[in-house]
Amino acid sequence: MTEYQRFQQALDSIGALANPAEAHGVLIGMWIGGGPAEESRWLAELVEEDRPPQAPPTALSELYQRLVEQVTTADNLGLDLVLPDEETSLKTQVEGLIDFAQGVLYGYAIENGPARRALGDDAREVFDDLGDIAQLDPESVKTEDDAFDIHQIEEYLSSALLVMYLQLHPPIPETAGSQRLQ
């Protein structure tokens, strides 16, 4: 079983309406839009309102903790995005990328992140790119299309979203008298 399938099973077990790519996008968008988001709040966004809260499956808690580590570790160069793997069809991979982009935009919106016009040029460009990805037609993307390299897009989003988070929520520098919370 792939990691993506494991996350899908976990999402299904709580009645989530999202697939793993979209769910991960929502989580990242929430963090970018409003800073650290509670795991329970993220999971509540993924299920119907009338579903009672329940203990999160281990796989989803691990995914949440992985994001926390990636955005709080100084030597990290990007986020590990949860997307369909190379073993799936290009169409499935593109659909996952679309769902991920839509999830990031949704997560950012529900946290009332800064208006697009208030962002720096780089962050606005990332949002424009997410919007373009969210509107892709998976049927129009062909393997022989050199202009569309899904791995290059994944790498770009991995680093661009982390940089965007750090720009909107810069770490507090440690001073000689401060101690880092464990």
Side-chain angles (χ1 to χ4, degrees):
M1 175 182 308
T2 67
E3 180 183 62
Y4 196 85
Q5 292 167 328
R6 189 169 67 95
F7 290 137
Q8 186 63 63
Q9 279 186 340
L11 289 165
D12 290 345
S13 76
I14 64 167
L17 304 172
N19 63 37
E22 185 177 12
H24 194 226
V26 169
L27 177 59
I28 292 170
M30 289 174 73
W31 274 66
I32 292 172
E38 293 293 323
E39 179 180 10
S40 59
R41 188 159 184 297
W42 165 58
L43 294 173
E45 285 298 328
L46 303 178
V47 297
E48 293 183 43
E49 288 183 31
D50 59 346
R51 297 273 308 201
Q54 58 185 41
T58 303
L60 297 180
S61 290
E62 289 171 0
L63 179 61
Y64 178 84
Q65 286 304 317
R66 187 166 83 186
L67 177 69
V68 171
E69 289 172 22
Q70 289 170 355
V71 299
T72 59
T73 303
D75 61 349
N76 191 17
L77 300 175
L79 304 174
D80 293 330
L81 307 184
V82 177
L83 296 165
D85 62 26
E86 295 177 2
E87 303 303 316
T88 62
S89 69
L90 179 63
K91 180 182 178 204
T92 300
Q93 291 177 58
V94 172
E95 288 170 344
L97 195 59
I98 291 167
D99 291 341
F100 175 80
Q102 290 172 345
V104 173
L105 294 170
Y106 175 76
Y108 187 85
I110 61 174
E111 289 298 318
N112 295 313
R116 184 186 174 283
R117 68 182 172 279
L119 299 173
D121 292 342
D122 291 341
R124 276 197 307 272
E125 184 177 336
V126 173
F127 264 94
D128 291 346
D129 292 341
L130 286 167
D132 290 345
I133 292 167
Q135 295 177 26
L136 281 174
D137 174 8
E139 299 292 336
S140 69
V141 178
K142 306 291 183 224
T143 53
E144 59 275 348
D145 186 358
D146 292 335
F148 189 88
D149 182 342
I150 196 161
H151 301 295
Q152 188 175 12
I153 293 169
E154 289 175 25
E155 288 177 22
Y156 161 72
L157 288 176
S158 169
S159 59
L161 291 170
L162 180 60
V163 168
M164 190 171 178
Y165 173 79
L166 294 172
Q167 285 177 350
L168 292 173
H169 310 283
I172 300 169
E174 292 186 47
T175 61
S178 71
Q179 291 184 336
R180 187 173 214 151
L181 297 175
Q182 296 294 333

